[in-house]
Coordinates of all heavy atoms in Angstrom, one line a residue:
M210 N 0.8 -1.2 0.0 CA 0.0 0.0 0.0 C 0.9 1.3 0.0 O 1.7 1.5 0.9 CB -0.9 0.0 1.3 CG -1.9 -1.0 1.4 SD -3.2 -0.7 0.1 CE -4.4 -2.0 0.6
S211 N 0.7 2.0 -1.0 CA 1.4 3.3 -1.0 C 0.6 4.4 -1.8 O -0.2 4.0 -2.6 CB 2.8 3.1 -1.6 OG 2.9 3.8 -2.9
N212 N 0.9 5.5 -1.3 CA 0.1 6.7 -1.9 C 0.9 7.3 -3.0 O 0.6 8.3 -3.7 CB -0.2 7.8 -0.9 CG -1.3 7.2 0.1 OD1 -2.2 6.4 -0.3 ND2 -1.1 7.5 1.3
Q213 N 2.1 6.7 -3.3 CA 3.0 7.3 -4.3 C 2.4 7.3 -5.7 O 1.7 6.3 -6.0 CB 4.3 6.5 -4.4 CG 5.4 7.1 -3.6 CD 6.7 6.4 -3.9 OE1 6.7 5.3 -4.0 NE2 7.8 7.2 -3.9
K214 N 2.5 8.3 -6.4 CA 1.8 8.4 -7.7 C 2.7 7.6 -8.6 O 4.0 7.7 -8.7 CB 1.9 9.9 -8.2 CG 0.7 10.1 -9.0 CD 0.5 11.6 -9.3 CE -0.3 11.8 -10.6 NZ 0.3 12.6 -11.5
K215 N 2.1 6.7 -9.3 CA 2.9 5.9 -10.3 C 3.3 6.7 -11.5 O 2.5 7.5 -11.9 CB 1.9 4.7 -10.8 CG 1.9 3.6 -9.8 CD 1.4 2.3 -10.5 CE 1.2 1.2 -9.4 NZ -0.2 0.7 -9.7
P216 N 4.5 6.5 -11.9 CA 4.8 7.2 -13.2 C 4.1 6.8 -14.3 O 3.8 5.5 -14.4 CB 6.4 7.0 -13.3 CG 6.6 5.8 -12.5 CD 5.6 5.7 -11.5
V217 N 3.8 7.6 -15.3 CA 3.1 7.3 -16.6 C 4.3 6.7 -17.4 O 5.2 7.3 -17.8 CB 2.4 8.4 -17.2 CG1 1.7 7.9 -18.4 CG2 1.5 9.1 -16.2
L218 N 4.2 5.5 -17.8 CA 5.2 4.8 -18.7 C 4.6 4.7 -20.2 O 3.5 4.5 -20.5 CB 5.4 3.4 -18.1 CG 6.0 3.2 -16.8 CD1 6.3 1.8 -16.4 CD2 7.3 4.0 -16.7
R219 N 5.7 5.0 -21.0 CA 5.5 4.9 -22.5 C 6.7 4.2 -23.0 O 7.8 4.3 -22.5 CB 5.4 6.3 -23.0 CG 4.2 7.0 -22.7 CD 2.9 6.6 -23.4 NE 1.7 7.2 -23.1 CZ 0.9 6.9 -22.0 NH1 1.2 5.9 -21.2 NH2 -0.2 7.7 -21.8
R220 N 6.5 3.5 -24.1 CA 7.6 2.7 -24.7 C 8.3 3.6 -25.8 O 7.7 4.2 -26.6 CB 7.0 1.5 -25.5 CG 8.1 0.6 -26.0 CD 7.5 -0.6 -26.6 NE 6.7 -1.4 -25.9 CZ 7.1 -2.4 -24.9 NH1 8.3 -2.5 -24.7 NH2 6.2 -3.0 -24.2
C221 N 9.6 3.7 -25.6 CA 10.4 4.5 -26.5 C 10.6 3.7 -27.9 O 10.8 2.5 -27.8 CB 11.8 4.6 -25.8 SG 13.1 5.2 -27.1
V222 N 10.4 4.3 -29.0 CA 10.5 3.6 -30.3 C 11.9 3.4 -30.7 O 12.1 2.8 -31.6 CB 9.6 4.3 -31.3 CG1 8.2 4.3 -31.0 CG2 10.1 5.7 -31.6
G223 N 12.8 4.0 -29.9 CA 14.3 3.9 -30.3 C 14.8 2.6 -29.6 O 15.2 1.7 -30.4
C224 N 14.8 2.5 -28.3 CA 15.4 1.4 -27.6 C 14.3 0.4 -27.2 O 14.7 -0.8 -26.8 CB 16.0 1.9 -26.4 SG 15.1 2.8 -25.1
G225 N 13.1 0.7 -27.3 CA 12.0 -0.3 -27.0 C 11.6 -0.4 -25.4 O 10.9 -1.3 -25.1
E226 N 12.3 0.4 -24.6 CA 12.1 0.3 -23.3 C 10.9 1.1 -22.7 O 10.7 2.2 -23.3 CB 13.3 0.7 -22.5 CG 14.5 -0.4 -22.5 CD 15.8 0.1 -21.8 OE1 15.6 0.8 -20.8 OE2 16.8 -0.2 -22.4
M227 N 10.3 0.7 -21.6 CA 9.3 1.6 -21.0 C 10.0 2.5 -20.1 O 10.8 2.2 -19.4 CB 8.4 0.7 -20.2 CG 7.6 -0.5 -21.0 SD 6.5 0.1 -22.2 CE 5.1 0.7 -21.1
K228 N 9.6 3.8 -20.4 CA 10.2 4.8 -19.6 C 9.2 5.8 -19.0 O 8.1 5.8 -19.6 CB 11.1 5.7 -20.5 CG 12.4 4.9 -21.0 CD 13.5 5.0 -20.0 CE 14.7 4.2 -20.4 NZ 15.6 4.8 -21.4
D229 N 9.5 6.5 -18.0 CA 8.7 7.5 -17.4 C 8.4 8.6 -18.6 O 9.4 9.0 -19.2 CB 9.4 8.2 -16.2 CG 8.5 9.0 -15.5 OD1 7.5 9.6 -16.0 OD2 8.6 9.1 -14.2
K230 N 7.2 8.9 -18.7 CA 6.8 9.9 -19.8 C 7.6 11.1 -19.7 O 7.9 11.8 -20.8 CB 5.3 10.1 -19.6 CG 4.6 10.5 -20.9 CD 3.1 10.7 -20.6 CE 2.5 11.7 -21.5 NZ 1.2 12.2 -21.3
K231 N 8.1 11.6 -18.5 CA 8.8 12.8 -18.4 C 10.2 12.7 -19.0 O 10.8 13.7 -19.2 CB 8.6 13.4 -17.0 CG 9.4 12.7 -16.0 CD 9.3 13.3 -14.7 CE 10.3 13.0 -13.6 NZ 10.4 11.6 -13.3
D232 N 10.7 11.6 -19.1 CA 12.0 11.3 -19.7 C 12.0 11.1 -21.2 O 13.0 10.8 -21.8 CB 12.7 10.1 -19.0 CG 12.9 10.4 -17.5 OD1 13.2 11.5 -17.2 OD2 12.8 9.4 -16.7
L233 N 10.8 11.2 -21.7 CA 10.6 11.0 -23.1 C 10.2 12.2 -23.9 O 9.7 13.1 -23.2 CB 9.6 9.9 -23.3 CG 9.9 8.5 -22.8 CD1 8.6 7.7 -22.6 CD2 10.9 7.8 -23.6
I234 N 10.5 12.2 -25.2 CA 9.9 13.4 -26.0 C 8.8 12.8 -26.9 O 9.0 11.7 -27.4 CB 11.1 14.0 -26.8 CG1 12.1 14.7 -25.9 CG2 10.5 14.9 -27.9 CD1 13.3 15.3 -26.6
R235 N 7.7 13.4 -26.9 CA 6.7 13.0 -27.8 C 6.8 13.6 -29.1 O 6.8 14.8 -29.2 CB 5.3 13.4 -27.2 CG 4.1 12.8 -28.0 CD 2.8 13.0 -27.1 NE 1.7 12.6 -28.0 CZ 0.7 13.4 -28.5 NH1 0.9 14.6 -28.3 NH2 -0.2 12.9 -29.1
V236 N 6.8 12.8 -30.1 CA 6.9 13.3 -31.5 C 5.5 13.1 -32.0 O 4.9 12.0 -31.9 CB 7.9 12.6 -32.3 CG1 7.8 13.1 -33.8 CG2 9.3 12.8 -31.8
V237 N 4.9 14.1 -32.6 CA 3.4 14.0 -33.0 C 3.3 14.3 -34.5 O 4.0 15.1 -35.1 CB 2.6 14.9 -32.1 CG1 2.9 16.4 -32.4 CG2 1.1 14.6 -32.3
R238 N 2.3 13.6 -35.1 CA 1.9 13.9 -36.5 C 0.6 14.6 -36.2 O -0.4 13.9 -35.8 CB 1.8 12.7 -37.2 CG 1.2 13.0 -38.7 CD 1.5 11.9 -39.6 NE 0.8 10.6 -39.4 CZ -0.4 10.3 -39.9 NH1 -1.0 11.1 -40.7 NH2 -1.0 9.1 -39.5
T239 N 0.5 15.8 -36.7 CA -0.7 16.6 -36.4 C -1.8 16.2 -37.5 O -1.4 15.5 -38.5 CB -0.3 18.1 -36.6 OG1 0.0 18.3 -37.9 CG2 0.8 18.5 -35.7
Q240 N -2.9 16.7 -37.4 CA -4.0 16.5 -38.3 C -3.6 17.0 -39.6 O -4.2 16.7 -40.7 CB -5.3 17.0 -37.8 CG -6.0 16.0 -36.9 CD -6.6 16.6 -35.7 OE1 -6.4 17.8 -35.5 NE2 -7.4 15.8 -34.9
E241 N -2.8 18.1 -39.7 CA -2.3 18.7 -40.9 C -1.2 17.9 -41.5 O -0.8 18.3 -42.7 CB -1.9 20.2 -40.7 CG -2.9 21.1 -40.4 CD -3.4 21.0 -38.8 OE1 -2.5 20.8 -38.1 OE2 -4.6 21.2 -38.6
G242 N -0.8 16.9 -40.9 CA 0.3 16.0 -41.4 C 1.7 16.5 -41.2 O 2.7 16.0 -41.7
E243 N 1.8 17.5 -40.3 CA 3.1 17.9 -39.9 C 3.7 17.1 -38.8 O 2.9 16.6 -37.9 CB 3.0 19.4 -39.3 CG 3.3 20.5 -40.2 CD 3.3 21.8 -39.4 OE1 2.3 22.1 -38.9 OE2 4.4 22.4 -39.4
I244 N 5.0 16.8 -38.8 CA 5.6 16.0 -37.7 C 6.5 16.9 -37.0 O 7.4 17.5 -37.5 CB 6.4 14.8 -38.4 CG1 5.3 13.9 -39.1 CG2 7.2 14.0 -37.4 CD1 6.0 12.9 -40.1
L245 N 6.3 17.0 -35.6 CA 7.0 18.0 -34.9 C 7.1 17.4 -33.4 O 6.3 16.6 -32.9 CB 6.4 19.3 -34.9 CG 4.9 19.4 -35.0 CD1 4.3 19.6 -33.6 CD2 4.6 20.6 -35.8
P246 N 8.2 17.9 -32.7 CA 8.2 17.5 -31.3 C 7.1 18.2 -30.5 O 6.9 19.4 -30.8 CB 9.7 18.1 -30.8 CG 10.0 19.1 -31.9 CD 9.2 18.8 -33.1
D247 N 6.4 17.4 -29.7 CA 5.4 18.1 -29.0 C 5.9 18.7 -27.6 O 6.1 17.9 -26.6 CB 4.4 16.9 -28.6 CG 3.2 17.4 -27.8 OD1 3.2 18.6 -27.5 OD2 2.3 16.6 -27.5
K248 N 6.2 19.9 -27.6 CA 6.8 20.6 -26.5 C 5.9 20.7 -25.3 O 6.3 20.8 -24.2 CB 7.3 22.0 -26.9 CG 8.5 21.8 -27.9 CD 8.8 23.1 -28.6 CE 9.7 22.8 -29.8 NZ 10.0 24.0 -30.6
T249 N 4.6 20.7 -25.5 CA 3.7 21.0 -24.5 C 3.0 19.7 -24.0 O 2.4 19.7 -22.9 CB 2.6 22.0 -25.0 OG1 1.9 21.4 -26.0 CG2 3.1 23.3 -25.3
G250 N 3.0 18.7 -24.8 CA 2.3 17.4 -24.5 C 0.8 17.5 -24.7 O 0.1 16.6 -24.4
R251 N 0.4 18.6 -25.4 CA -1.0 18.8 -25.6 C -1.4 18.8 -27.2 O -2.5 19.2 -27.5 CB -1.4 20.1 -25.1 CG -1.4 20.1 -23.5 CD -2.1 21.3 -23.0 NE -1.9 21.5 -21.6 CZ -0.8 22.2 -21.2 NH1 -0.1 22.9 -22.0 NH2 -0.6 22.3 -19.9
V252 N -0.4 18.6 -28.0 CA -0.7 18.7 -29.4 C -1.5 17.4 -29.9 O -1.3 16.3 -29.4 CB 0.6 18.6 -30.2 CG1 0.3 18.8 -31.8 CG2 1.5 19.8 -29.8
N253 N -2.6 17.7 -30.5 CA -3.5 16.6 -31.0 C -2.8 15.8 -32.2 O -2.2 16.5 -33.0 CB -4.8 17.1 -31.4 CG -5.8 17.5 -30.3 OD1 -5.8 16.7 -29.3 ND2 -6.4 18.6 -30.3
G254 N -3.1 14.6 -32.2 CA -2.5 13.8 -33.3 C -2.0 12.5 -32.8 O -2.1 12.2 -31.6
R255 N -1.4 11.8 -33.8 CA -0.8 10.5 -33.4 C 0.6 10.7 -32.9 O 1.3 11.5 -33.5 CB -0.8 9.6 -34.7 CG -0.1 8.3 -34.5 CD -0.2 7.5 -35.7 NE -1.6 6.8 -35.7 CZ -1.8 5.7 -35.0 NH1 -1.0 5.2 -34.3 NH2 -3.1 5.2 -35.1
G256 N 0.9 10.1 -31.8 CA 2.2 10.5 -31.2 C 3.1 9.2 -31.0 O 2.6 8.0 -31.1
A257 N 4.4 9.4 -31.0 CA 5.3 8.4 -30.7 C 6.4 9.0 -29.7 O 6.6 10.2 -29.6 CB 6.1 8.1 -32.0
Y258 N 6.9 8.1 -28.8 CA 7.8 8.6 -27.7 C 9.1 8.1 -28.0 O 9.4 6.9 -28.3 CB 7.2 8.0 -26.3 CG 5.9 8.7 -26.0 CD1 4.7 8.2 -26.4 CD2 5.9 9.7 -25.2 CE1 3.5 8.8 -26.0 CE2 4.7 10.4 -24.8 CZ 3.5 9.8 -25.2 OH 2.4 10.5 -24.9
V259 N 10.1 8.9 -27.8 CA 11.5 8.7 -27.8 C 12.2 9.2 -26.6 O 11.9 10.3 -26.2 CB 12.1 9.2 -29.1 CG1 13.6 8.6 -29.3 CG2 11.3 8.8 -30.3
C260 N 13.2 8.5 -26.0 CA 14.1 9.1 -24.9 C 14.7 10.4 -25.3 O 14.9 10.6 -26.5 CB 15.2 8.1 -24.6 SG 14.6 6.4 -24.1
K261 N 14.9 11.2 -24.3 CA 15.6 12.5 -24.6 C 17.1 12.2 -24.8 O 17.9 12.6 -24.0 CB 15.5 13.4 -23.3 CG 14.1 14.1 -23.2 CD 14.1 14.9 -22.0 CE 12.6 15.6 -21.8 NZ 12.4 16.3 -20.6
D262 N 17.3 11.6 -25.9 CA 18.7 11.1 -26.2 C 18.8 11.0 -27.7 O 18.1 10.2 -28.3 CB 18.8 9.7 -25.6 CG 20.2 9.2 -25.7 OD1 21.0 9.8 -26.6 OD2 20.7 8.3 -25.0
P263 N 19.7 11.8 -28.2 CA 19.9 11.7 -29.7 C 20.2 10.3 -30.2 O 19.9 10.0 -31.4 CB 21.0 12.7 -30.0 CG 21.1 13.6 -28.9 CD 20.6 12.8 -27.7
E264 N 20.9 9.6 -29.4 CA 21.2 8.2 -29.7 C 19.9 7.4 -30.0 O 19.8 6.6 -31.0 CB 22.1 7.5 -28.6 CG 23.6 8.0 -28.6 CD 24.2 7.4 -29.8 OE1 24.2 6.1 -30.0 OE2 24.9 8.2 -30.5
C265 N 19.1 7.5 -29.1 CA 17.8 6.8 -29.1 C 17.0 7.3 -30.3 O 16.4 6.4 -31.1 CB 17.0 7.0 -27.9 SG 16.8 5.5 -26.8
F266 N 17.1 8.5 -30.5 CA 16.4 9.1 -31.7 C 16.9 8.5 -33.0 O 16.1 8.1 -33.9 CB 16.5 10.6 -31.8 CG 15.9 11.2 -33.0 CD1 14.5 11.3 -33.2 CD2 16.7 11.7 -34.0 CE1 13.9 11.7 -34.3 CE2 16.1 12.2 -35.1 CZ 14.7 12.2 -35.3
M267 N 18.3 8.4 -33.1 CA 18.9 7.8 -34.3 C 18.5 6.4 -34.5 O 18.3 5.9 -35.6 CB 20.4 8.0 -34.3 CG 20.8 9.5 -34.5 SD 20.0 10.4 -35.8 CE 20.7 9.6 -37.3
N268 N 18.4 5.7 -33.3 CA 17.9 4.3 -33.4 C 16.5 4.2 -34.0 O 16.2 3.4 -34.8 CB 17.8 3.8 -32.0 CG 19.0 2.7 -31.8 OD1 19.5 2.1 -32.7 ND2 19.5 2.7 -30.5
A269 N 15.6 5.1 -33.5 CA 14.2 5.1 -34.0 C 14.2 5.4 -35.5 O 13.4 4.8 -36.1 CB 13.5 6.2 -33.2
V270 N 15.2 6.2 -36.0 CA 15.2 6.6 -37.4 C 15.6 5.3 -38.1 O 15.0 4.9 -39.1 CB 16.2 7.7 -37.6 CG1 16.4 8.0 -39.1 CG2 15.7 9.0 -37.0
R271 N 16.7 4.7 -37.7 CA 17.3 3.6 -38.4 C 16.3 2.4 -38.4 O 16.2 1.7 -39.4 CB 18.5 3.0 -37.6 CG 19.8 3.8 -38.1 CD 21.1 3.0 -37.7 NE 21.2 3.1 -36.2 CZ 21.8 4.1 -35.6 NH1 22.4 5.0 -36.3 NH2 21.9 4.1 -34.2
K272 N 15.6 2.2 -37.3 CA 14.7 1.0 -37.2 C 13.3 1.4 -37.8 O 12.4 0.6 -37.8 CB 14.5 0.6 -35.8 CG 15.8 0.0 -35.1 CD 15.5 -0.8 -33.9 CE 15.0 0.1 -32.8 NZ 14.8 -0.7 -31.5
K273 N 13.2 2.7 -38.2 CA 11.9 3.1 -38.7 C 10.8 3.0 -37.7 O 9.6 2.9 -38.0 CB 11.5 2.4 -40.1 CG 12.5 2.5 -41.1 CD 11.9 2.4 -42.6 CE 12.9 2.6 -43.6 NZ 13.5 3.9 -43.7
G274 N 11.1 3.1 -36.5 CA 10.2 3.0 -35.4 C 9.3 4.2 -35.4 O 8.1 4.2 -35.1
L275 N 9.8 5.4 -35.8 CA 9.0 6.5 -35.8 C 7.9 6.4 -37.0 O 6.7 6.7 -36.7 CB 9.8 7.8 -36.1 CG 10.3 8.6 -35.0 CD1 11.0 9.8 -35.4 CD2 9.2 9.0 -34.0
E276 N 8.4 6.0 -38.1 CA 7.5 5.9 -39.3 C 6.4 4.8 -38.9 O 5.2 5.1 -39.3 CB 8.2 5.5 -40.5 CG 9.1 6.6 -41.0 CD 9.8 6.2 -42.3 OE1 10.2 5.1 -42.5 OE2 9.9 7.1 -43.1
R277 N 6.8 3.8 -38.2 CA 5.8 2.8 -37.8 C 4.8 3.3 -36.9 O 3.6 3.1 -37.0 CB 6.6 1.6 -37.3 CG 6.1 0.3 -38.0 CD 6.7 -1.0 -37.3 NE 7.8 -0.8 -36.3 CZ 9.1 -1.1 -36.6 NH1 9.3 -1.7 -37.7 NH2 10.0 -0.9 -35.6
S278 N 5.2 4.0 -35.9 CA 4.4 4.5 -35.0 C 3.4 5.6 -35.4 O 2.3 5.7 -35.1 CB 5.0 5.1 -33.7 OG 5.7 4.0 -33.0
L279 N 4.0 6.4 -36.3 CA 3.3 7.6 -36.8 C 2.5 7.2 -38.0 O 1.6 8.0 -38.5 CB 4.2 8.8 -37.1 CG 5.0 9.3 -36.0 CD1 5.9 10.4 -36.4 CD2 4.0 9.9 -34.9
K280 N 2.7 6.0 -38.6 CA 2.0 5.5 -39.7 C 2.1 6.3 -40.9 O 1.1 6.7 -41.6 CB 0.6 5.1 -39.4 CG 0.4 4.0 -38.3 CD -1.0 3.5 -38.4 CE -1.2 2.6 -37.1 NZ -0.4 1.5 -37.0
C281 N 3.3 6.9 -41.1 CA 3.5 7.7 -42.4 C 5.0 7.8 -42.6 O 5.8 7.3 -41.8 CB 3.0 9.2 -42.1 SG 3.9 10.1 -41.0
R282 N 5.3 8.2 -43.8 CA 6.7 8.3 -44.2 C 7.2 9.7 -43.6 O 6.4 10.7 -43.5 CB 6.7 8.5 -45.8 CG 7.9 7.7 -46.4 CD 8.0 8.0 -47.9 NE 9.3 8.4 -48.1 CZ 9.7 9.6 -48.4 NH1 8.9 10.5 -48.4 NH2 11.0 9.9 -48.6
V283 N 8.5 9.6 -43.3 CA 9.1 10.8 -42.6 C 10.2 11.3 -43.5 O 11.1 10.5 -43.8 CB 9.6 10.5 -41.2 CG1 10.2 11.8 -40.6 CG2 8.5 10.0 -40.2
D284 N 10.1 12.5 -44.0 CA 11.1 13.1 -44.8 C 12.5 13.3 -44.1 O 12.5 13.6 -42.9 CB 10.7 14.4 -45.5 CG 9.6 14.3 -46.5 OD1 9.5 13.2 -47.1 OD2 8.8 15.2 -46.7
A285 N 13.5 13.2 -44.9 CA 14.9 13.4 -44.3 C 15.0 14.8 -43.6 O 15.6 14.9 -42.5 CB 15.9 13.3 -45.4
Q286 N 14.5 15.8 -44.2 CA 14.5 17.1 -43.6 C 13.7 17.2 -42.3 O 14.1 18.0 -41.4 CB 14.1 18.3 -44.6 CG 12.6 18.5 -44.8 CD 12.4 19.0 -46.2 OE1 13.0 18.6 -47.2 NE2 11.6 20.0 -46.3
V287 N 12.6 16.4 -42.2 CA 11.9 16.4 -40.9 C 12.7 15.7 -39.8 O 12.8 16.2 -38.7 CB 10.5 15.6 -41.2 CG1 9.9 15.5 -39.8 CG2 9.7 16.4 -42.1
Y288 N 13.4 14.7 -40.3 CA 14.3 14.0 -39.3 C 15.4 14.9 -38.8 O 15.7 14.9 -37.6 CB 14.9 12.7 -40.0 CG 14.1 11.4 -40.0 CD1 14.1 10.6 -41.1 CD2 13.4 11.1 -38.8 CE1 13.3 9.4 -41.1 CE2 12.6 10.0 -38.9 CZ 12.6 9.1 -39.9 OH 11.9 8.0 -39.9
E289 N 15.9 15.7 -39.7 CA 17.0 16.5 -39.4 C 16.5 17.5 -38.4 O 17.2 17.8 -37.4 CB 17.4 17.2 -40.7 CG 18.8 18.0 -40.7 CD 19.8 17.0 -40.2 OE1 19.9 15.8 -40.6 OE2 20.7 17.4 -39.4
G290 N 15.4 18.1 -38.6 CA 14.8 19.1 -37.6 C 14.6 18.5 -36.2 O 14.9 19.1 -35.2
L291 N 14.1 17.3 -36.3 CA 13.8 16.6 -35.0 C 15.1 16.3 -34.3 O 15.2 16.4 -33.1 CB 13.1 15.3 -35.3 CG 11.6 15.4 -35.7 CD1 11.0 14.0 -36.0 CD2 10.7 15.9 -34.6
R292 N 16.1 15.9 -35.0 CA 17.4 15.5 -34.5 C 18.0 16.7 -33.8 O 18.5 16.6 -32.6 CB 18.3 15.1 -35.5 CG 19.6 14.4 -34.9 CD 20.4 13.7 -36.0 NE 20.8 14.5 -37.0 CZ 22.1 15.2 -37.0 NH1 22.8 15.1 -36.0 NH2 22.2 15.9 -38.0
S293 N 17.9 17.9 -34.3 CA 18.5 19.1 -33.7 C 17.7 19.4 -32.4 O 18.2 19.8 -31.4 CB 18.6 20.3 -34.5 OG 17.8 20.3 -35.6
Y294 N 16.4 19.1 -32.4 CA 15.5 19.3 -31.3 C 16.1 18.3 -30.1 O 16.2 18.8 -28.9 CB 14.0 19.0 -31.5 CG 13.2 19.3 -30.3 CD1 13.0 20.6 -29.8 CD2 12.7 18.2 -29.7 CE1 12.2 20.9 -28.7 CE2 11.9 18.4 -28.5 CZ 11.7 19.7 -28.0 OH 11.0 19.9 -26.9
F295 N 16.3 17.1 -30.4 CA 16.7 16.1 -29.4 C 18.1 16.5 -28.9 O 18.4 16.3 -27.7 CB 16.9 14.7 -30.0 CG 15.5 14.0 -30.0 CD1 14.4 14.2 -30.9 CD2 15.3 13.1 -29.0 CE1 13.3 13.6 -30.8 CE2 14.0 12.4 -28.9 CZ 13.0 12.7 -29.8
E296 N 18.9 17.0 -29.8 CA 20.3 17.4 -29.3 C 20.2 18.6 -28.3 O 20.9 18.5 -27.3 CB 21.2 17.7 -30.6 CG 21.8 16.5 -31.0 CD 22.4 16.6 -32.5 OE1 22.3 17.8 -33.0 OE2 22.9 15.6 -33.0
G297 N 19.3 19.5 -28.6 CA 19.1 20.6 -27.7 C 18.5 20.2 -26.4 O 18.9 20.7 -25.5
E298 N 17.6 19.1 -26.4 CA 17.0 18.7 -25.2 C 18.0 18.0 -24.3 O 17.9 17.9 -23.0 CB 15.8 17.8 -25.5 CG 14.6 18.5 -25.8 CD 14.0 19.4 -24.8 OE1 13.6 18.8 -23.7 OE2 14.0 20.6 -24.9
S299 N 18.9 17.3 -24.9 CA 19.8 16.4 -24.1 C 20.9 17.1 -23.5 O 21.6 16.7 -22.6 CB 20.3 15.2 -24.9 OG 21.1 15.6 -25.9
S300 N 21.3 18.3 -24.0 CA 22.5 19.0 -23.5 C 22.2 19.8 -22.3 O 21.1 20.1 -22.0 CB 23.0 19.8 -24.6 OG 22.1 20.8 -25.1
Ligands
ZN269 ZN1 15.0 5.0 -25.8

């Protein structure tokens, strides 16, 4: 018995591990078809979670985990933009 709040767990599409949602970045595909990092956690659309780690992000790119989760093709320039976001978040 404990009153501790359980962390909300989500699976990272890079390493496949379950992580606390606050240690992950949600990448979202909006209804307009844009793919962007969800900085607020409130963007509507289909989301995928990746650790705040560029390594994990690159893994997700290589394994096409993002494309699988978002159910769409991701352009190289979109990946590039996301990667700089991950690099900024992890430093
Ligand atoms: Zn990960």
Side-chain angles (χ1 to χ4, degrees):
M210 292 291 188
S211 113
N212 294 322
Q213 263 189 323
K214 213 169 161 235
K215 280 198 190 131
V217 182
L218 296 178
R219 292 286 180 269
R220 190 181 300 278
C221 165
V222 296
C224 60
E226 282 175 41
M227 298 296 286
K228 293 275 175 82
D229 193 330
K230 207 175 155 193
K231 69 179 194 309
D232 297 323
L233 298 160
I234 293 171
R235 181 171 180 253
V236 177
V237 67
R238 174 161 66 94
T239 67
Q240 273 137 355
E241 290 76 38
E243 262 188 301
I244 295 162
L245 35 93
D247 180 1
K248 293 167 194 174
T249 60
R251 290 194 197 91
V252 180
N253 279 322
R255 174 173 283 279
Y258 292 87
V259 186
C260 301
K261 283 183 184 168
D262 182 346
E264 283 289 311
C265 250
F266 174 72
M267 290 316 289
N268 253 328
V270 173
R271 274 193 293 268
K272 297 197 295 188
K273 301 207 181 293
L275 270 185
E276 291 185 321
R277 230 184 350 248
S278 292
L279 299 174
K280 296 194 192 301
C281 69
R282 224 187 127 256
V283 181
D284 286 334
Q286 75 206 51
V287 172
Y288 274 142
E289 198 51 42
L291 288 171
R292 190 168 63 88
S293 20
Y294 181 75
F295 274 79
E296 277 166 1
E298 280 296 295
S299 69
S300 57

